[in-house]
Amino acid sequence: VQLQASGGGLVQPGGSLRLSCEFSGSSSDSLAIGWFRQAPGKEREGLSCVSTTNDKSYYADSVKGRFTIHRDNAKKTVFLQMNRLKPEDTAVYHCATNRFWGTRCSPRYYEYDTWGQGTLVTVSS
């Protein structure tokens, strides 16, 4: 299974970005995929996760109401729509999965064994 995150960039406070996580490889269609972020000096934070049928498992309190996760299986992509961005959203964002879980989701980053490279989001005026 391979994951590739993209879509980061510089955005002003209050702005929006949409991150993409392209997934590929055997069994990837049957795996839940999560989004995480890590800011400098902070622990990696679980943001959201989506199952194979777009049943959202959770949103972190820090992003609830502002971020939306959506999976497009035809495009083999999981999107993270981020609205009303704040400076504290600045971080490297990663997508991840666990090859042995199927559709199970977890907010705990250490329970994921396959990660895409990160994409940097900077929220600043």
Side-chain angles (χ1 to χ4, degrees):
V1 176
Q2 294 83 42
L3 305 173
Q4 184 167 346
S6 62
L10 174 64
V11 62
Q12 292 187 341
S16 298
L17 276 178
R18 188 177 76 163
L19 304 183
S20 299
C21 175
E22 295 182 41
F23 55 89
S24 61
S26 60
S27 303
S28 62
D29 289 355
S30 60
L31 299 176
I33 292 176
W35 278 101
F36 299 79
R37 69 184 179 189
Q38 188 163 22
K42 293 190 177 181
E43 191 174 63
R44 192 163 293 191
E45 177 187 15
L47 303 178
S48 187
C49 181
V50 64
S51 71
T52 56
T53 55
N54 268 317
D55 293 320
K56 287 77 169 174
S57 174
Y58 71 89
Y59 286 99
D61 288 342
S62 57
V63 304
K64 199 172 295 182
R66 299 188 299 124
F67 291 12
T68 303
I69 194 169
H70 175 73
R71 183 179 187 132
D72 187 328
N73 287 323
K75 296 181 178 179
K76 292 187 175 293
T77 303
V78 173
F79 299 100
L80 186 68
Q81 178 66 43
M82 306 186 297
N83 298 327
R84 303 199 307 276
L85 284 162
K86 306 174 182 180
E88 52 263 45
D89 293 318
T90 295
V92 176
Y93 285 68
H94 302 265
C95 55
T97 191
N98 185 303
R99 294 167 293 165
F100 305 103
W101 278 5
T103 60
R104 177 184 168 188
C105 278
S106 168
R108 294 175 287 275
Y109 67 90
Y110 48 83
E111 294 184 337
Y112 289 74
D113 69 349
T114 302
W115 293 81
Q117 91 292 348
T119 184
L120 176 62
V121 173
T122 304
V123 185
S124 175
S125 55

